[in-house]
Amino acid sequence: PIPQSSCMFEHLPLERSSEDVDIIFTRLKEVKAFEKFHPNLLQQICLCGYYENLEKGITLFRQGDIGTNWYAVLTGSLDVKVSDTSNHQDAVTICTLGIGTAFGESILDNTPRHATIVTREYSELLRIEQKDFKALWEKYRQYMSGLLTPPYGTPLIEPHIPHRPTKTITQVPSEKILRAGKILRNTILSRAPHMIRDRKYHLKTYRQCCVGTELVDWMMQQSPCVHSRTQAVGMWQVLLEEGVLNHVDQEHHFQDKYLFYRFLDDECEDAPLPTEEEKKECDEELQDTMLLLSQIGPDAHMRMILRKPPGQRTVDDLEFIYEELLHIKALSHLSTTVSIFKNTTHHQKGVFNQGEEGTSWYIILKGSVNVVIYGKGVVCTLHEGDDFGKLALVNDAPRAASIVLHKEDFNRILRDVEANTVRLKEHDQDVLVLEKIPAGNRVSNQGNSQPQHKYIVMSGTPEKILEHFLETMRLEATLNEATDSVLNDFIMMHCVFMPNSQLCPALMAQYPFPSQGTEQEKMDYALNNKRRVIRLVLQWAALYGDLLQEDEAAMAFLEEFYVSVSDDTRMIAALKEQLPELEKIVKQHKVLLQLFNTSDDRTQKRQPIRGSDEVLFKVYCIDQTYTTIRVPVSSSVKEVISAVADKLGSGEGLIIVKMSSGGEKVVLKPHDVSVFTTLSVNGRLFACPRDQFDSLAPLPEQEGPSTGTVGTFELMSSKDLAHQMTIYDWELFNCVHELELIYHTFGRHNFKKTTANLDLFLRRFNEIQFWVVTEICLCSQLSKRVQLLKKYIKIAAHCKEYKNLNSFFAIIMGLSNVAVSRLSNYLISLFFLKDPSRNHRAYRLTVAKLDPPIIPFMPLLIKDMTFTHEGNKTFTDNLVNFEKMRMIANTVRTVKFCRSQSFNPDAALTNKNHQDVRSYVRQLNVIDNQRTLSQMSHRLEPRRA
């Protein structure tokens, strides 16, 4: 894993070793503000930069201050506030600085700060002092002038290039797209020459043309990375944008229709045919070209759609934009209703000027914009994913492209959202907020037209949300059908805002007979109402499964509920049909407690760990002796201390410390639960009096192996290794309960629940990652290292083939580790799925095309849920923000989808004698100390002077 920012800068500049600088250098290269910096300049920044971490609401500096530091944002965000008076109370926020933003160049000439900067959330910054920044400016001015904003940097002005006759969007094609076009044209001429020929339409002849539908058909046949016609359209759009392919009537949109397109080379008379040498080159380069176009095609496709007037966008166009906008930072918090409205592109030098009335809201898709205050200069620069619309003034940097939502559209959205909102009030307070959304114009099986709109819950009190779902439940749907996904969202997420202790009484309160009406009316109402409650209880029990057996209140409720339903069947015979299923849930026998031990799982298939399962675990003392305790997995730290104290005879002032192999120590809080499975790969638990905390040191066994196992596993086939890894990973993944993701996201101590299965699956990711780095760094022979690299690439490819994306990414990230990537004979080819741009879009698009079973890239799922949780309040105006619950539940459903088909191991591979391979992949010994690995790497290949 990438070190946290604080770890990177743990040493002051003068104390930093070459390994420290390497780690910082690798991390900073991934930060947008530094991606274009010359390596020599970035190396110097690594030597002199300081780390700052600030809580929300901290003022970094005020407008008018004389600056002393330059900053770059590593994590978090900061507000830029400007006041026309000397009173800071009058300051207005003009924009927000996101990750990758750099600011503070005014320290070069000691001019006052042009704005006040305040942290919007917890933020981490890189800080460079004035004297160091000036020294860098003097030494690296030629590198920095094009990177800093004017007046310190050189203004980047587009050279004037006259339009070519073809009126392409991009005036001069890039070299790589020119090459891509040549390869595709030559390959077509080589493999399907009939596609490029003279064509007649309405008595007019068009020379040397291709047809749009034929180009899409052909592209889909050439590469497995092209999954759909929509994807192929985006790939051809890349060539059309750059003028390497042109529509005969100069249209800018590539279409999957009977329309004529011509390659740039065929614009000339007597265009040459490819030589045999060129055909051979094209065969070799075709797949790389396809991969390149598949990566940049979605951006081109999106630009194509956004260039259309809003009224001309199709349903498919809107769906495509919607999927893309979900991954843009500025739109991530908007409701789904707002996100799908009209957008258009905007290209010009000045977006708007100081004093002008604001008419548009902008989001930066590519490039950057400078924020300028007249007479004060550049305040800051905004980058990809940032938005602005409350700005007093903005000047575009060259080549910036923004989405624009026009003012009248934005006002209409606000009006429409409010007009479509239904609020239920009690005692003048909102208790339920619903929003009307299109339901699609559908016709039922009986031929009746279905409602064109439906209402979804946006927020409400827990009781009113439950009441709403019971009232709107469709009883005709069977339990196995997804009766209503939002009802499932409620069942999955209720633990966050309505724990079982609150839900169970509320369900019982919804169950009794009505007291008013005729006997027949009361019977009809009771039948429907009771059936709905029973349906919800059955769905609730199906989701929770064995977890209910650990909840005494839930089991007591189920038993009471079963008795009530049994009694009611005497009066309402129709309830009998649901009684057997309810009986089966209530009368399940409790499974005997299993003894859980993380180190002894090599031979038997894994079973899910439950909080009540007991664990035998070693807790070490300061003298590196240990005591073995036996406690439930979900035990709190307070209970662990009590168990240790019983063994040691005294617990006076004891603390429990989590110790990594690198010596990082974390004192665990008394309310922390299930700490055994949250340790790092080589982590250990220590117990000691608080005053001896500083004397704790890692155990020798935490260092990891001193010799590699290449001699053992080089004899095993890459396919066998990947297959056995996938079997084991599937066992781990299959044990993860969906609710563990929710407990992990919201803090399991809030639920007093274990996330042991998820912890072990996440730890497996790090284990595989460090396995790759460990084996390469322990391999002293250069020739063996080269073979090892190739073997890991093959194993990763087989994992991808088995749809084991978790191990695939772990191996690729291991190969990308600085201790490996710095080696001069580093031979890994880039796997496009690892591309993190647009929130790992390449990965998401690929997964969307896969059928289950799939082992997903779990750290990304966790990131998505954390991002949604931290970016949205759980309660708004004392009401449950159910829209947030729906967003998180949607991510959790990904896990359910991935496991919707069971994994059946390849019988041909499983039947072989693979016990040695099976044992090997289940007991990997690794070094997980990044500093140790970097030192080993430098010993293998010292840094050149």
Side-chain angles (χ1 to χ4, degrees):
I2 295 169
Q4 291 299 307
S5 304
S6 56
C7 301
M8 293 194 305
F9 295 94
E10 61 182 335
H11 295 123
L12 294 173
L14 293 176
E15 299 171 358
R16 285 178 195 155
S17 65
S18 58
E19 288 82 4
D20 293 335
V21 173
D22 272 350
I23 291 171
I24 300 173
F25 184 84
T26 301
R27 176 70 172 84
L28 291 188
K29 274 200 302 187
E30 298 172 354
V31 176
K32 186 169 289 299
F34 300 112
E35 63 185 11
K36 294 182 180 175
F37 276 37
H38 190 279
N40 293 349
L41 171 59
L42 195 52
Q43 195 88 6
Q44 293 302 311
I45 288 175
C46 296
L47 287 168
C48 65
Y50 289 82
Y51 166 81
E52 295 275 353
N53 62 324
L54 303 172
E55 296 298 326
K56 177 182 177 181
I58 301 297
T59 300
L60 194 63
F61 52 74
R62 294 189 180 277
Q63 185 176 340
D65 291 353
I66 300 298
T68 56
N69 295 284
W70 177 84
Y71 299 91
V73 185
L74 299 175
T75 68
S77 57
L78 304 93
D79 285 334
V80 179
K81 301 189 174 195
V82 173
S83 171
D84 290 333
T85 68
S86 57
N87 189 347
H88 295 300
Q89 304 292 329
D90 299 334
V92 294
T93 301
I94 62 168
C95 63
T96 299
L97 308 178
I99 295 170
T101 315
F103 57 97
E105 294 96 328
S106 62
I107 59 174
L108 288 171
D109 53 14
N110 291 320
T111 54
R113 297 293 196 191
H114 308 314
T116 298
I117 306 289
V118 181
T119 53
R120 187 185 184 88
E121 58 186 314
Y122 173 81
S123 302
E124 296 176 292
L125 308 175
L126 170 72
R127 173 173 64 86
I128 297 180
E129 294 181 343
Q130 186 178 35
K131 64 179 190 322
D132 293 324
F133 193 76
K134 281 187 171 181
L136 290 175
W137 173 250
E138 291 303 320
K139 188 172 181 181
Y140 296 102
R141 186 189 296 255
Q142 73 273 27
Y143 298 141
M144 296 174 74
S145 63
L147 299 165
L148 302 187
T149 49
Y152 310 104
T154 306
L156 299 172
I157 299 171
E158 284 283 357
H160 176 71
I161 300 171
H163 280 292
R164 296 170 49 222
T166 52
K167 298 180 184 175
T168 55
I169 296 163
T170 303
Q171 290 149 353
V172 177
S174 66
E175 286 295 325
K176 63 182 180 182
I177 302 303
L178 268 175
R179 180 64 183 163
K182 187 175 286 293
I183 287 166
L184 293 180
R185 174 185 177 268
N186 288 348
T187 305
I188 289 173
L189 287 171
S190 173
R191 299 181 182 180
H194 63 279
M195 286 176 58
I196 302 177
R197 64 178 190 270
D198 294 351
R199 304 194 184 246
K200 285 188 177 182
Y201 188 72
H202 284 201
L203 303 178
K204 184 175 179 180
T205 300
Y206 296 89
R207 292 188 57 261
Q208 294 299 96
C209 292
C210 311
V211 170
T213 49
E214 291 179 8
L215 288 174
V216 171
D217 289 339
W218 180 83
M219 184 164 275
M220 290 190 68
Q221 294 165 6
Q222 302 308 308
S223 173
C225 73
V226 186
H227 303 289
S228 67
R229 301 188 74 82
T230 302
Q231 186 185 1
V233 166
M235 293 164 73
W236 285 116
Q237 180 65 29
V238 173
L239 302 182
L240 194 72
E241 276 192 344
E242 302 226 12
V244 176
L245 183 76
N246 296 301
H247 183 265
V248 293
D249 289 331
Q250 312 308 324
E251 291 287 335
H252 287 166
H253 306 151
F254 183 90
Q255 296 185 65
D256 185 7
K257 293 183 178 178
Y258 190 78
L259 298 174
F260 297 158
Y261 297 91
R262 185 183 294 120
F263 282 98
L264 183 60
D265 285 351
D266 290 316
E267 299 275 356
C268 311
E269 296 283 342
D270 302 321
L273 294 173
T275 64
E276 289 304 315
E277 184 63 29
E278 285 176 327
K279 287 180 182 178
K280 186 179 176 185
E281 286 177 2
C282 291
D283 284 343
E284 291 172 356
E285 295 182 43
L286 181 63
Q287 292 310 313
D288 287 341
T289 299
M290 289 289 188
L291 195 57
L292 167 70
L293 294 176
S294 71
Q295 288 176 273
I296 59 182
D299 278 334
H301 194 178
M302 187 173 181
R303 288 191 294 270
M304 175 185 83
I305 296 169
L306 293 175
R307 286 188 187 102
K308 294 181 185 179
Q312 292 181 14
R313 294 176 193 161
T314 66
V315 173
D316 288 342
D317 289 344
L318 292 177
E319 282 186 8
F320 186 88
I321 296 176
Y322 174 69
E323 287 298 322
E324 291 296 304
L325 294 189
L326 286 179
H327 304 317
I328 294 175
K329 181 176 66 177
L331 292 173
S332 59
H333 64 285
L334 293 184
S335 78
T336 53
T337 308
V338 174
S339 298
I340 62 175
F341 276 81
K342 304 170 186 174
N343 300 275
T344 181
T345 52
H346 198 74
H347 299 264
Q348 58 187 41
K349 288 290 181 278
V351 180
F352 51 75
N353 295 317
Q354 188 169 355
E356 289 182 0
E357 181 186 355
T359 59
S360 300
W361 175 44
Y362 300 81
I363 301 158
I364 303 169
L365 277 187
K366 291 286 182 185
S368 58
V369 295
N370 295 334
V371 181
V372 180
I373 300 176
Y374 294 152
K376 297 180 180 179
V378 175
V379 173
C380 64
T381 302
L382 303 178
H383 297 284
E384 180 180 330
D386 292 327
D387 67 311
F388 55 93
K390 299 180 286 290
L391 301 181
L393 44 109
V394 169
N395 272 351
D396 247 332
R399 295 181 299 279
S402 304
I403 300 177
V404 180
L405 187 63
H406 285 291
K407 184 176 181 179
E408 56 270 25
D409 287 334
F410 192 73
N411 289 339
R412 180 177 55 74
I413 287 171
L414 296 182
R415 285 197 306 271
D416 287 353
V417 168
E418 199 53 43
N420 289 325
T421 301
V422 176
R423 298 175 183 274
L424 177 64
K425 292 180 181 285
E426 289 182 359
H427 308 296
D428 286 331
Q429 297 290 322
D430 286 345
V431 292
L432 189 66
V433 180
L434 305 175
E435 188 176 300
K436 183 169 75 173
I437 64 168
N441 193 5
R442 302 188 308 276
V443 176
S444 70
N445 295 335
Q446 288 76 30
N448 302 324
S449 181
Q450 297 293 303
Q452 294 187 21
H453 294 89
K454 64 180 179 179
Y455 287 88
I456 60 169
V457 176
M458 301 301 289
S459 59
T461 63
E463 292 78 11
K464 284 297 171 187
I465 294 174
L466 171 63
E467 196 177 301
H468 171 77
F469 286 136
L470 286 171
E471 286 174 356
T472 56
M473 185 188 291
R474 291 167 51 231
L475 285 169
E476 70 272 14
T478 63
L479 184 62
N480 292 328
E481 289 179 23
T483 58
D484 189 349
S485 64
V486 287
L487 176 60
N488 293 330
D489 295 345
F490 173 84
I491 292 168
M492 186 181 293
M493 300 301 299
H494 79 83
C495 58
V496 174
F497 56 86
M498 194 181 196
N500 287 340
S501 58
Q502 189 180 345
L503 175 69
C504 295
L507 285 170
M508 286 304 294
Q510 293 288 334
Y511 191 74
F513 279 98
S515 56
Q516 295 179 339
T518 66
E519 285 303 312
Q520 187 58 44
E521 285 172 344
K522 286 194 284 187
M523 289 296 287
D524 290 344
Y525 179 85
L527 173 61
N528 285 329
N529 207 42
K530 288 174 183 287
R531 285 177 65 198
R532 289 189 180 104
V533 176
I534 294 169
R535 167 66 62 77
L536 193 147
V537 169
L538 289 174
Q539 286 185 250
W540 171 68
L543 174 71
Y544 271 73
D546 288 345
L547 296 184
L548 282 178
Q549 295 182 8
E550 299 179 15
D551 189 323
E552 290 181 10
M555 292 306 294
F557 158 73
L558 280 172
E559 287 167 11
E560 180 190 353
F561 186 72
Y562 173 67
V563 170
S564 296
V565 176
S566 298
D567 291 344
D568 288 343
T569 56
R570 298 190 188 100
M571 295 177 60
I572 310 175
L575 291 181
K576 283 185 178 177
E577 64 188 61
Q578 290 173 305
L579 198 60
E581 205 159 353
L582 202 56
E583 183 179 20
K584 191 165 69 176
I585 292 169
V586 173
K587 298 197 173 179
Q588 275 180 342
H589 296 295
K590 291 192 177 183
V591 181
L592 290 173
L593 297 185
Q594 61 177 17
L595 194 61
F596 163 62
N597 192 327
T598 54
S599 63
D600 190 23
D601 57 2
R602 298 167 194 169
T603 54
Q604 59 186 18
K605 187 176 179 181
R606 291 200 63 85
Q607 297 298 322
I609 302 162
R610 297 180 305 170
S612 56
D613 292 344
E614 293 194 326
V615 57
L616 279 174
F617 211 84
K618 293 177 181 176
V619 179
Y620 291 84
C621 303
I622 194 162
D623 60 358
Q624 301 198 343
T625 59
Y626 64 84
T627 180
T628 303
I629 60 171
R630 178 173 177 160
V631 290
V633 172
S634 59
S635 297
S636 67
V637 167
K638 189 175 180 182
E639 291 166 327
V640 171
I641 291 173
S642 177
V644 171
D646 285 347
K647 286 292 188 84
L648 297 180
S650 169
E652 194 67 33
L654 275 185
I655 57 172
I656 299 294
V657 180
K658 194 157 60 170
M659 170 90 73
S660 75
S661 59
E664 292 88 7
K665 295 175 281 192
V666 177
V667 179
L668 299 174
K669 299 181 179 68
H671 65 263
D672 286 341
V673 295
S674 188
V675 294
F676 311 106
T677 52
T678 61
L679 295 172
S680 56
V681 177
N682 289 335
R684 298 290 185 272
L685 281 187
F686 283 76
C688 71
R690 189 171 289 277
D691 58 3
Q692 294 181 4
F693 172 78
D694 292 334
S695 304
L696 287 177
L699 304 166
E701 68 184 54
Q702 288 183 256
E703 293 175 7
S706 55
T707 56
T709 61
V710 64
T712 302
F713 92 94
E714 71 179 346
L715 303 175
M716 302 174 184
S717 87
S718 302
K719 189 163 189 173
D720 291 348
L721 284 161
H723 185 247
Q724 289 297 332
M725 286 169 69
T726 302
I727 292 173
Y728 185 47
D729 290 354
W730 180 263
E731 288 178 17
L732 291 169
F733 176 52
N734 211 30
C735 288
V736 177
H737 198 287
E738 292 160 43
L739 289 167
E740 290 186 65
L741 286 103
I742 296 166
Y743 299 153
H744 184 281
T745 302
F746 287 86
R748 59 199 172 171
H749 57 275
N750 293 320
F751 306 92
K752 295 183 173 57
K753 300 287 186 183
T754 182
T755 57
N757 302 290
L758 176 60
D759 296 338
L760 292 180
F761 186 51
L762 290 171
R763 189 164 77 185
R764 176 65 172 174
F765 183 89
N766 286 340
E767 186 179 64
I768 292 174
Q769 192 179 160
F770 282 121
W771 168 56
V772 173
V773 188
T774 300
E775 292 297 340
I776 291 172
C777 288
L778 285 174
C779 185
S780 56
Q781 278 183 268
L782 177 59
S783 60
K784 289 262 189 190
R785 276 204 306 280
V786 171
Q787 292 306 312
L788 203 50
L789 284 165
K790 290 179 178 177
K791 191 173 188 76
Y792 277 126
I793 293 170
K794 286 180 182 176
I795 294 171
H798 286 304
C799 284
K800 185 163 169 262
E801 180 188 330
Y802 288 126
K803 295 184 278 194
N804 181 357
L805 301 178
N806 204 60
S807 284
F808 167 80
F809 271 93
I811 293 170
I812 298 308
M813 290 180 76
L815 291 169
S816 305
N817 186 288
V818 64
V820 177
S821 62
R822 65 171 294 278
L823 298 175
S824 58
N825 283 278
Y826 175 63
L827 298 177
I828 181 173
S829 60
L830 290 177
F831 283 79
F832 86 100
L833 276 186
K834 187 179 173 289
D835 174 22
S837 64
R838 197 69 59 75
N839 198 9
H840 292 271
R841 181 186 54 205
Y843 164 78
R844 295 177 195 278
L845 289 174
T846 300
V847 172
K849 308 292 188 299
L850 295 178
D851 294 322
I854 304 165
I855 304 179
F857 178 24
M858 187 58 83
L860 184 58
L861 275 176
I862 296 294
K863 176 196 160 197
D864 287 347
M865 293 181 68
T866 304
F867 186 80
T868 304
H869 171 49
E870 293 181 352
N872 299 274
K873 293 180 179 177
T874 301
F875 294 91
T876 55
D877 301 325
N878 295 319
L879 300 177
V880 177
N881 179 3
F882 198 74
E883 190 174 17
K884 170 181 176 176
M885 302 300 121
R886 202 161 48 239
M887 291 161 70
I888 290 179
N890 194 44
T891 305
V892 176
R893 260 195 295 276
T894 305
V895 171
K896 188 174 183 179
F897 168 75
C898 290
R899 297 194 300 218
S900 58
Q901 296 291 329
S902 58
F903 174 72
N904 297 311
D906 188 330
L909 290 175
T910 307
N911 291 338
K912 288 186 189 176
N913 183 14
H914 281 314
Q915 193 56 45
D916 53 341
V917 183
R918 176 189 170 87
S919 299
Y920 179 82
V921 300
R922 290 172 184 244
Q923 50 182 319
L924 301 175
N925 282 324
V926 305
I927 299 167
D928 68 343
N929 184 340
Q930 183 61 51
R931 177 162 298 186
T932 301
L933 292 167
S934 292
Q935 289 169 347
M936 291 165 65
S937 174
H938 280 85
R939 280 198 292 273
L940 288 174
E941 292 186 26
R943 182 190 287 114
R944 295 182 180 87

